[in-house]
Tab-separated table of all heavy atoms in Angstrom:
chain	number	residue	atom	x	y	z
U	1	MET	N	0.837	-1.192	0.000
U	1	MET	CA	0.000	0.000	0.000
U	1	MET	C	0.878	1.251	0.000
U	1	MET	O	1.600	1.498	-0.940
U	1	MET	CB	-0.953	-0.022	1.171
U	1	MET	CG	-2.038	-1.074	0.938
U	1	MET	SD	-2.650	-1.804	2.454
U	1	MET	CE	-2.136	-3.479	2.271
U	6	MET	N	5.681	4.887	4.348
U	6	MET	CA	5.712	4.493	5.743
U	6	MET	C	7.069	4.008	6.201
U	6	MET	O	7.380	4.050	7.368
U	6	MET	CB	4.727	3.363	5.967
U	6	MET	CG	3.335	3.871	5.856
U	6	MET	SD	2.266	2.508	5.768
U	6	MET	CE	0.755	3.324	5.459
U	10	GLY	N	12.920	3.851	8.640
U	10	GLY	CA	14.030	2.925	8.620
U	10	GLY	C	13.649	1.608	9.248
U	10	GLY	O	12.477	1.271	9.326
U	11	GLY	N	14.622	0.841	9.712
U	11	GLY	CA	14.319	-0.504	10.192
U	11	GLY	C	14.059	-0.543	11.672
U	11	GLY	O	14.578	-1.374	12.375
U	12	ARG	N	13.193	0.363	12.162
U	12	ARG	CA	12.997	0.384	13.593
U	12	ARG	C	11.967	-0.623	14.052
U	12	ARG	O	11.693	-0.747	15.223
U	12	ARG	CB	12.608	1.782	14.049
U	12	ARG	CG	11.194	2.162	13.722
U	12	ARG	CD	10.895	3.513	14.313
U	12	ARG	NE	10.642	4.499	13.277
U	12	ARG	CZ	9.454	5.042	13.095
U	12	ARG	NH1	8.445	4.673	13.830
U	12	ARG	NH2	9.278	5.946	12.173
U	21	ARG	N	5.940	-10.342	16.903
U	21	ARG	CA	5.094	-10.005	15.753
U	21	ARG	C	3.706	-10.601	15.932
U	21	ARG	O	2.698	-9.963	15.703
U	21	ARG	CB	5.669	-10.532	14.429
U	21	ARG	CG	7.015	-10.011	14.058
U	21	ARG	CD	7.017	-8.616	13.549
U	21	ARG	NE	6.209	-8.363	12.361
U	21	ARG	CZ	5.858	-7.136	11.983
U	21	ARG	NH1	6.208	-6.105	12.722
U	21	ARG	NH2	5.162	-6.949	10.899
U	25	TYR	N	0.011	-8.666	16.195
U	25	TYR	CA	-1.180	-8.953	15.384
U	25	TYR	C	-2.364	-9.333	16.261
U	25	TYR	O	-3.497	-8.945	15.999
U	25	TYR	CB	-0.886	-10.078	14.385
U	25	TYR	CG	-0.199	-9.577	13.140
U	25	TYR	CD1	1.133	-9.866	12.884
U	25	TYR	CD2	-0.892	-8.794	12.218
U	25	TYR	CE1	1.769	-9.386	11.749
U	25	TYR	CE2	-0.271	-8.315	11.075
U	25	TYR	CZ	1.066	-8.618	10.847
U	25	TYR	OH	1.677	-8.133	9.732
U	28	VAL	N	-3.721	-6.143	18.047
U	28	VAL	CA	-4.395	-5.270	17.093
U	28	VAL	C	-5.716	-5.870	16.638
U	28	VAL	O	-6.731	-5.170	16.543
U	28	VAL	CB	-3.471	-4.977	15.890
U	28	VAL	CG1	-4.226	-4.221	14.827
U	28	VAL	CG2	-2.264	-4.196	16.325
U	35	TRP	N	-13.681	-2.753	18.305
U	35	TRP	CA	-14.109	-1.516	17.652
U	35	TRP	C	-15.240	-1.774	16.647
U	35	TRP	O	-16.092	-0.925	16.443
U	35	TRP	CB	-12.911	-0.870	16.952
U	35	TRP	CG	-12.500	0.406	17.589
U	35	TRP	CD1	-12.546	1.631	17.018
U	35	TRP	CD2	-11.997	0.607	18.916
U	35	TRP	NE1	-12.109	2.581	17.911
U	35	TRP	CE2	-11.772	1.989	19.078
U	35	TRP	CE3	-11.734	-0.240	19.997
U	35	TRP	CZ2	-11.281	2.533	20.265
U	35	TRP	CZ3	-11.251	0.304	21.175
U	35	TRP	CH2	-11.029	1.670	21.295
U	39	LEU	N	-20.889	-1.924	15.511
U	39	LEU	CA	-21.437	-1.932	14.145
U	39	LEU	C	-22.038	-3.303	13.829
U	39	LEU	O	-23.152	-3.403	13.303
U	39	LEU	CB	-20.336	-1.582	13.145
U	39	LEU	CG	-20.776	-1.505	11.685
U	39	LEU	CD1	-21.776	-0.389	11.484
U	39	LEU	CD2	-19.568	-1.302	10.768
U	42	VAL	N	-25.404	-3.826	15.495
U	42	VAL	CA	-26.523	-3.148	14.825
U	42	VAL	C	-26.910	-3.874	13.552
U	42	VAL	O	-28.091	-4.102	13.279
U	42	VAL	CB	-26.168	-1.682	14.487
U	42	VAL	CG1	-27.377	-0.975	13.920
U	42	VAL	CG2	-25.676	-0.969	15.701
U	56	GLY	N	-33.340	-13.711	23.554
U	56	GLY	CA	-31.927	-13.731	23.934
U	56	GLY	C	-31.481	-12.362	24.380
U	56	GLY	O	-32.101	-11.733	25.211
U	57	SER	N	-30.353	-11.887	23.803
U	57	SER	CA	-29.860	-10.551	24.111
U	57	SER	C	-29.723	-9.769	22.801
U	57	SER	O	-30.077	-10.265	21.742
U	57	SER	CB	-28.507	-10.644	24.809
U	57	SER	OG	-27.554	-11.167	23.918
U	58	MET	N	-29.197	-8.549	22.925
U	58	MET	CA	-28.970	-7.751	21.726
U	58	MET	C	-27.777	-8.284	20.924
U	58	MET	O	-27.500	-7.811	19.844
U	58	MET	CB	-28.684	-6.286	22.096
U	58	MET	CG	-29.869	-5.526	22.628
U	58	MET	SD	-31.157	-5.230	21.399
U	58	MET	CE	-30.440	-3.917	20.433
U	118	TRP	N	-5.899	37.295	-2.137
U	118	TRP	CA	-6.313	38.609	-2.620
U	118	TRP	C	-5.837	39.689	-1.658
U	118	TRP	O	-5.295	40.685	-2.058
U	118	TRP	CB	-7.836	38.637	-2.793
U	118	TRP	CG	-8.337	39.815	-3.532
U	118	TRP	CD1	-8.945	40.911	-3.004
U	118	TRP	CD2	-8.273	40.040	-4.937
U	118	TRP	NE1	-9.268	41.787	-3.983
U	118	TRP	CE2	-8.860	41.278	-5.191
U	118	TRP	CE3	-7.758	39.296	-6.010
U	118	TRP	CZ2	-8.973	41.811	-6.465
U	118	TRP	CZ3	-7.865	39.816	-7.280
U	118	TRP	CH2	-8.480	41.072	-7.502
U	120	PHE	N	-6.636	42.111	1.780
U	120	PHE	CA	-7.270	43.419	1.903
U	120	PHE	C	-7.028	43.893	3.324
U	120	PHE	O	-6.555	43.118	4.169
U	120	PHE	CB	-8.763	43.335	1.607
U	120	PHE	CG	-9.455	42.239	2.367
U	120	PHE	CD1	-9.980	42.483	3.627
U	120	PHE	CD2	-9.564	40.958	1.835
U	120	PHE	CE1	-10.596	41.476	4.339
U	120	PHE	CE2	-10.187	39.952	2.559
U	120	PHE	CZ	-10.695	40.205	3.799
U	129	ILE	N	-10.997	36.073	13.650
U	129	ILE	CA	-12.302	36.018	14.319
U	129	ILE	C	-13.131	34.853	13.774
U	129	ILE	O	-13.750	34.101	14.527
U	129	ILE	CB	-13.064	37.346	14.148
U	129	ILE	CG1	-12.287	38.476	14.834
U	129	ILE	CG2	-14.469	37.248	14.730
U	129	ILE	CD1	-12.831	39.849	14.549
U	135	PHE	N	-14.085	27.049	17.925
U	135	PHE	CA	-14.015	26.733	19.354
U	135	PHE	C	-15.267	27.121	20.127
U	135	PHE	O	-15.538	26.557	21.175
U	135	PHE	CB	-12.810	27.441	19.985
U	135	PHE	CG	-11.523	27.112	19.319
U	135	PHE	CD1	-10.880	28.025	18.505
U	135	PHE	CD2	-10.959	25.860	19.484
U	135	PHE	CE1	-9.685	27.703	17.875
U	135	PHE	CE2	-9.774	25.534	18.857
U	135	PHE	CZ	-9.136	26.461	18.050
U	139	GLN	N	-23.614	25.885	22.661
U	139	GLN	CA	-24.502	26.371	23.713
U	139	GLN	C	-24.498	27.891	23.816
U	139	GLN	O	-25.478	28.488	24.229
U	139	GLN	CB	-24.088	25.763	25.063
U	139	GLN	CG	-24.541	24.339	25.270
U	139	GLN	CD	-23.713	23.332	24.479
U	139	GLN	OE1	-22.679	23.668	23.917
U	139	GLN	NE2	-24.163	22.100	24.430
U	140	MET	N	-23.363	28.507	23.418
U	140	MET	CA	-23.292	29.964	23.467
U	140	MET	C	-24.133	30.599	22.353
U	140	MET	O	-24.384	31.789	22.367
U	140	MET	CB	-21.837	30.430	23.328
U	140	MET	CG	-21.008	30.316	24.571
U	140	MET	SD	-21.601	31.332	25.928
U	140	MET	CE	-21.160	32.989	25.385
U	144	PRO	N	-29.277	33.139	20.929
U	144	PRO	CA	-29.332	34.081	19.802
U	144	PRO	C	-29.950	33.461	18.549
U	144	PRO	O	-30.788	34.099	17.909
U	144	PRO	CB	-27.863	34.441	19.582
U	144	PRO	CG	-27.237	34.281	20.917
U	144	PRO	CD	-27.934	33.114	21.550
U	228	ASN	N	-24.664	14.705	10.987
U	228	ASN	CA	-24.629	14.142	12.332
U	228	ASN	C	-25.103	15.114	13.405
U	228	ASN	O	-25.251	14.734	14.559
U	228	ASN	CB	-23.201	13.694	12.678
U	228	ASN	CG	-22.811	12.448	11.907
U	228	ASN	OD1	-23.673	11.732	11.404
U	228	ASN	ND2	-21.525	12.201	11.804
U	235	THR	N	-33.514	21.397	18.842
U	235	THR	CA	-33.950	22.643	19.468
U	235	THR	C	-34.838	23.475	18.546
U	235	THR	O	-35.821	24.058	18.973
U	235	THR	CB	-32.729	23.494	19.890
U	235	THR	OG1	-31.847	22.690	20.645
U	235	THR	CG2	-33.153	24.682	20.731
U	275	THR	N	-23.226	8.817	5.997
U	275	THR	CA	-21.881	9.220	6.417
U	275	THR	C	-20.920	8.029	6.405
U	275	THR	O	-19.741	8.184	6.112
U	275	THR	CB	-21.895	9.858	7.818
U	275	THR	OG1	-22.563	8.991	8.720
U	275	THR	CG2	-22.590	11.201	7.787
U	279	TYR	N	-17.535	7.892	4.323
U	279	TYR	CA	-16.278	7.553	4.972
U	279	TYR	C	-15.571	6.419	4.239
U	279	TYR	O	-14.361	6.434	4.045
U	279	TYR	CB	-16.537	7.161	6.426
U	279	TYR	CG	-15.304	6.687	7.140
U	279	TYR	CD1	-14.276	7.570	7.433
U	279	TYR	CD2	-15.143	5.354	7.491
U	279	TYR	CE1	-13.134	7.137	8.067
U	279	TYR	CE2	-14.008	4.912	8.138
U	279	TYR	CZ	-13.007	5.805	8.415
U	279	TYR	OH	-11.869	5.367	9.037
U	291	THR	N	-7.315	15.944	10.586
U	291	THR	CA	-6.004	16.396	11.044
U	291	THR	C	-5.802	17.873	10.710
U	291	THR	O	-5.164	18.589	11.464
U	291	THR	CB	-4.889	15.546	10.427
U	291	THR	OG1	-5.161	15.394	9.040
U	291	THR	CG2	-4.813	14.205	11.077
Z	23	GLU	N	-17.268	42.233	-6.252
Z	23	GLU	CA	-16.097	41.672	-5.594
Z	23	GLU	C	-16.123	41.962	-4.089
Z	23	GLU	O	-15.894	41.069	-3.265
Z	23	GLU	CB	-14.861	42.299	-6.248
Z	23	GLU	CG	-13.581	42.131	-5.489
Z	23	GLU	CD	-12.519	43.084	-6.016
Z	23	GLU	OE1	-12.531	43.378	-7.238
Z	23	GLU	OE2	-11.691	43.553	-5.215
Z	28	TRP	N	-16.720	40.437	1.486
Z	28	TRP	CA	-17.105	40.888	2.814
Z	28	TRP	C	-18.359	40.254	3.381
Z	28	TRP	O	-18.438	40.040	4.594
Z	28	TRP	CB	-17.250	42.425	2.818
Z	28	TRP	CG	-15.911	43.075	2.827
Z	28	TRP	CD1	-15.263	43.647	1.767
Z	28	TRP	CD2	-15.022	43.183	3.939
Z	28	TRP	NE1	-14.039	44.103	2.151
Z	28	TRP	CE2	-13.849	43.843	3.482
Z	28	TRP	CE3	-15.084	42.779	5.278
Z	28	TRP	CZ2	-12.771	44.107	4.311
Z	28	TRP	CZ3	-14.012	43.049	6.102
Z	28	TRP	CH2	-12.865	43.702	5.622
Z	45	THR	N	-25.443	36.397	24.383
Z	45	THR	CA	-25.637	35.393	25.428
Z	45	THR	C	-25.111	35.901	26.763
Z	45	THR	O	-25.738	35.702	27.808
Z	45	THR	CB	-24.954	34.075	25.034
Z	45	THR	OG1	-25.484	33.643	23.782
Z	45	THR	CG2	-25.200	32.994	26.059
Z	106	ASP	N	2.520	1.201	13.646
Z	106	ASP	CA	3.792	1.689	13.107
Z	106	ASP	C	4.792	0.549	12.917
Z	106	ASP	O	5.904	0.771	12.472
Z	106	ASP	CB	4.356	2.746	14.058
Z	106	ASP	CG	5.488	3.535	13.424
Z	106	ASP	OD1	5.398	3.799	12.210
Z	106	ASP	OD2	6.463	3.866	14.120
Z	107	GLN	N	4.401	-0.687	13.272
Z	107	GLN	CA	5.333	-1.818	13.176
Z	107	GLN	C	5.308	-2.464	11.798
Z	107	GLN	O	5.600	-3.639	11.669
Z	107	GLN	CB	5.009	-2.871	14.253
Z	107	GLN	CG	4.973	-2.326	15.661
Z	107	GLN	CD	6.236	-1.565	16.027
Z	107	GLN	OE1	7.345	-2.014	15.740
Z	107	GLN	NE2	6.071	-0.402	16.626
Z	108	ARG	N	4.942	-1.705	10.799
Z	108	ARG	CA	4.872	-2.218	9.422
Z	108	ARG	C	4.114	-3.528	9.369
Z	108	ARG	O	4.638	-4.562	8.954
Z	108	ARG	CB	6.297	-2.463	8.885
Z	108	ARG	CG	7.051	-1.175	8.767
Z	108	ARG	CD	8.009	-1.296	7.638
Z	108	ARG	NE	9.323	-0.833	7.984
Z	108	ARG	CZ	10.407	-1.207	7.324
Z	108	ARG	NH1	10.311	-2.094	6.351
Z	108	ARG	NH2	11.566	-0.722	7.640
Z	110	ARG	N	0.797	-5.905	8.227
Z	110	ARG	CA	-0.092	-6.078	7.085
Z	110	ARG	C	-1.468	-5.513	7.383
Z	110	ARG	O	-1.905	-5.538	8.524
Z	110	ARG	CB	-0.276	-7.570	6.805
Z	110	ARG	CG	0.713	-8.155	5.865
Z	110	ARG	CD	0.575	-9.664	5.949
Z	110	ARG	NE	1.856	-10.286	5.691
Z	110	ARG	CZ	2.204	-10.708	4.473
Z	110	ARG	NH1	1.373	-10.561	3.467
Z	110	ARG	NH2	3.376	-11.265	4.272
Z	112	GLU	N	-2.544	-2.549	7.359
Z	112	GLU	CA	-2.564	-1.339	8.174
Z	112	GLU	C	-3.700	-0.397	7.788
Z	112	GLU	O	-4.383	0.158	8.647
Z	112	GLU	CB	-1.223	-0.611	8.041
Z	112	GLU	CG	-1.153	0.550	8.992
Z	112	GLU	CD	-0.106	1.567	8.603
Z	112	GLU	OE1	1.038	1.173	8.375
Z	112	GLU	OE2	-0.456	2.757	8.520
Z	115	LEU	N	-7.016	-1.618	9.151
Z	115	LEU	CA	-7.088	-1.438	10.602
Z	115	LEU	C	-7.294	0.024	10.961
Z	115	LEU	O	-8.122	0.363	11.801
Z	115	LEU	CB	-5.802	-1.959	11.254
Z	115	LEU	CG	-5.665	-3.475	11.267
Z	115	LEU	CD1	-4.241	-3.891	11.575
Z	115	LEU	CD2	-6.616	-4.081	12.304
Z	117	SER	N	-8.715	2.252	9.203
Z	117	SER	CA	-10.100	2.616	8.886
Z	117	SER	C	-11.050	2.134	9.967
Z	117	SER	O	-12.010	2.820	10.314
Z	117	SER	CB	-10.527	2.011	7.553
Z	117	SER	OG	-9.637	2.405	6.553
Z	120	LEU	N	-10.958	4.364	12.992
Z	120	LEU	CA	-11.424	5.734	12.766
Z	120	LEU	C	-12.914	5.848	12.440
Z	120	LEU	O	-13.482	6.920	12.536
Z	120	LEU	CB	-10.612	6.373	11.633
Z	120	LEU	CG	-9.297	7.027	12.058
Z	120	LEU	CD1	-8.431	7.303	10.851
Z	120	LEU	CD2	-9.559	8.325	12.805
Z	121	TYR	N	-13.530	4.722	12.041
Z	121	TYR	CA	-14.902	4.860	11.540
Z	121	TYR	C	-15.907	5.444	12.547
Z	121	TYR	O	-16.828	6.154	12.131
Z	121	TYR	CB	-15.418	3.535	10.951
Z	121	TYR	CG	-16.100	2.608	11.933
Z	121	TYR	CD1	-17.481	2.654	12.115
Z	121	TYR	CD2	-15.384	1.699	12.690
Z	121	TYR	CE1	-18.111	1.810	13.020
Z	121	TYR	CE2	-15.996	0.860	13.600
Z	121	TYR	CZ	-17.353	0.920	13.763
Z	121	TYR	OH	-17.973	0.102	14.662
Z	124	ALA	N	-16.942	9.005	12.056
Z	124	ALA	CA	-17.764	9.423	10.927
Z	124	ALA	C	-19.248	9.288	11.227
Z	124	ALA	O	-20.083	9.761	10.466
Z	124	ALA	CB	-17.397	8.601	9.685
Z	126	SER	N	-22.726	9.604	13.683
Z	126	SER	CA	-23.331	10.514	14.651
Z	126	SER	C	-23.290	9.953	16.069
Z	126	SER	O	-23.458	8.759	16.286
Z	126	SER	CB	-24.767	10.774	14.245
Z	126	SER	OG	-25.483	11.296	15.314
Z	133	VAL	N	-26.441	2.720	20.218
Z	133	VAL	CA	-25.900	1.362	20.170
Z	133	VAL	C	-25.240	0.996	21.496
Z	133	VAL	O	-25.449	-0.097	22.029
Z	133	VAL	CB	-24.885	1.224	19.021
Z	133	VAL	CG1	-24.328	-0.181	18.984
Z	133	VAL	CG2	-25.530	1.575	17.700
Z	136	TRP	N	-27.573	0.020	24.215
Z	136	TRP	CA	-28.035	-1.373	24.144
Z	136	TRP	C	-26.989	-2.324	24.708
Z	136	TRP	O	-27.284	-3.199	25.501
Z	136	TRP	CB	-28.319	-1.775	22.690
Z	136	TRP	CG	-29.475	-1.049	22.090
Z	136	TRP	CD1	-30.503	-0.456	22.744
Z	136	TRP	CD2	-29.705	-0.830	20.689
Z	136	TRP	NE1	-31.356	0.114	21.849
Z	136	TRP	CE2	-30.906	-0.105	20.586
Z	136	TRP	CE3	-29.031	-1.182	19.525
Z	136	TRP	CZ2	-31.433	0.277	19.362
Z	136	TRP	CZ3	-29.553	-0.809	18.309
Z	136	TRP	CH2	-30.745	-0.076	18.228
Z	142	LEU	N	-30.256	-6.201	28.202
Z	142	LEU	CA	-30.237	-6.421	26.756
Z	142	LEU	C	-28.872	-6.828	26.225
Z	142	LEU	O	-28.768	-7.611	25.286
Z	142	LEU	CB	-30.618	-5.122	26.027
Z	142	LEU	CG	-32.019	-4.569	26.128
Z	142	LEU	CD1	-32.050	-3.173	25.541
Z	142	LEU	CD2	-32.992	-5.479	25.383
Z	146	LYS	N	-26.564	-9.565	29.745
Z	146	LYS	CA	-27.578	-10.559	29.371
Z	146	LYS	C	-26.935	-11.699	28.580
Z	146	LYS	O	-27.240	-12.872	28.809
Z	146	LYS	CB	-28.665	-9.871	28.533
Z	146	LYS	CG	-29.810	-10.773	28.101
Z	146	LYS	CD	-30.753	-11.038	29.248
Z	146	LYS	CE	-32.089	-11.645	28.867
Z	146	LYS	NZ	-32.196	-12.460	27.710
Z	177	TRP	N	-14.144	4.840	22.707
Z	177	TRP	CA	-14.374	4.084	21.470
Z	177	TRP	C	-14.559	5.043	20.307
Z	177	TRP	O	-14.024	4.844	19.220
Z	177	TRP	CB	-15.617	3.198	21.650
Z	177	TRP	CG	-16.071	2.521	20.408
Z	177	TRP	CD1	-15.564	1.374	19.875
Z	177	TRP	CD2	-17.119	2.951	19.540
Z	177	TRP	NE1	-16.240	1.066	18.724
Z	177	TRP	CE2	-17.201	2.009	18.495
Z	177	TRP	CE3	-18.010	4.026	19.533
Z	177	TRP	CZ2	-18.130	2.124	17.458
Z	177	TRP	CZ3	-18.926	4.141	18.514
Z	177	TRP	CH2	-18.983	3.198	17.490
Z	180	SER	N	-10.703	7.646	20.182
Z	180	SER	CA	-9.265	7.405	20.288
Z	180	SER	C	-8.637	7.191	18.906
Z	180	SER	O	-7.422	7.324	18.761
Z	180	SER	CB	-8.931	6.270	21.249
Z	180	SER	OG	-9.793	5.213	21.079
Z	186	LEU	N	-3.335	11.198	14.685
Z	186	LEU	CA	-2.342	12.258	14.885
Z	186	LEU	C	-1.001	11.683	15.354
Z	186	LEU	O	0.059	12.094	14.885
Z	186	LEU	CB	-2.852	13.287	15.893
Z	186	LEU	CG	-3.921	14.253	15.395
Z	186	LEU	CD1	-4.096	15.394	16.372
Z	186	LEU	CD2	-3.572	14.809	14.030
Z	191	LEU	N	4.658	9.837	14.467
Z	191	LEU	CA	5.661	8.763	14.431
Z	191	LEU	C	6.328	8.696	13.063
Z	191	LEU	O	7.524	8.489	12.940
Z	191	LEU	CB	4.997	7.417	14.743
Z	191	LEU	CG	4.510	7.199	16.169
Z	191	LEU	CD1	3.806	5.851	16.290
Z	191	LEU	CD2	5.681	7.264	17.143
Z	192	ARG	N	5.507	8.896	12.031
Z	192	ARG	CA	6.033	8.772	10.670
Z	192	ARG	C	6.923	9.938	10.283
Z	192	ARG	O	7.668	9.865	9.313
Z	192	ARG	CB	4.862	8.675	9.685
Z	192	ARG	CG	4.012	7.426	9.868
Z	192	ARG	CD	4.588	6.256	9.128
Z	192	ARG	NE	4.269	4.972	9.733
Z	192	ARG	CZ	3.132	4.310	9.546
Z	192	ARG	NH1	2.203	4.804	8.783
Z	192	ARG	NH2	2.938	3.149	10.119
Z	203	GLN	N	20.236	3.652	16.206
Z	203	GLN	CA	20.455	2.241	15.862
Z	203	GLN	C	21.940	1.907	15.881
Z	203	GLN	O	22.341	0.843	16.346
Z	203	GLN	CB	19.877	1.946	14.491
Z	203	GLN	CG	18.434	1.513	14.566
Z	203	GLN	CD	17.821	1.358	13.204
Z	203	GLN	OE1	18.347	1.874	12.210
Z	203	GLN	NE2	16.728	0.650	13.127
Z	259	ALA	N	-23.228	20.796	29.360
Z	259	ALA	CA	-24.019	21.064	28.162
Z	259	ALA	C	-25.475	20.649	28.349
Z	259	ALA	O	-26.387	21.280	27.803
Z	259	ALA	CB	-23.419	20.330	26.963
Z	267	PHE	N	-34.450	25.230	27.734
Z	267	PHE	CA	-35.590	24.765	26.957
Z	267	PHE	C	-36.541	23.853	27.715
Z	267	PHE	O	-37.623	23.567	27.243
Z	267	PHE	CB	-35.105	24.065	25.689
Z	267	PHE	CG	-34.300	24.997	24.831
Z	267	PHE	CD1	-32.926	24.855	24.738
Z	267	PHE	CD2	-34.918	26.032	24.146
Z	267	PHE	CE1	-32.178	25.726	23.969
Z	267	PHE	CE2	-34.179	26.896	23.372
Z	267	PHE	CZ	-32.811	26.757	23.287
Z	286	LEU	N	-13.922	26.348	28.988
Z	286	LEU	CA	-13.235	26.107	27.722
Z	286	LEU	C	-12.029	27.027	27.574
Z	286	LEU	O	-10.946	26.605	27.159
Z	286	LEU	CB	-14.223	26.331	26.573
Z	286	LEU	CG	-13.763	25.892	25.193
Z	286	LEU	CD1	-13.785	24.382	25.111
Z	286	LEU	CD2	-14.658	26.484	24.129
Side-chain angles (χ1 to χ4, degrees):
Chain U
M1 288 149 245
M6 290 168 186
R12 75 176 115 112
R21 300 285 301 164
Y25 277 109
V28 173
W35 248 244
L39 182 64
V42 185
S57 66
M58 290 292 284
W118 192 257
F120 50 89
I129 297 171
F135 304 106
Q139 282 76 10
M140 282 297 288
N228 288 341
T235 309
T275 52
Y279 175 69
T291 46
Chain Z
E23 165 195 327
W28 284 102
T45 303
D106 194 37
Q107 305 307 316
R108 295 211 227 159
R110 270 168 211 266
E112 187 200 309
L115 288 165
S117 304
L120 274 166
Y121 89 93
S126 162
V133 180
W136 293 337
L142 292 170
K146 182 76 166 28
W177 172 82
S180 42
L186 285 193
L191 290 177
R192 296 275 152 83
Q203 270 174 342
F267 300 107
L286 190 73

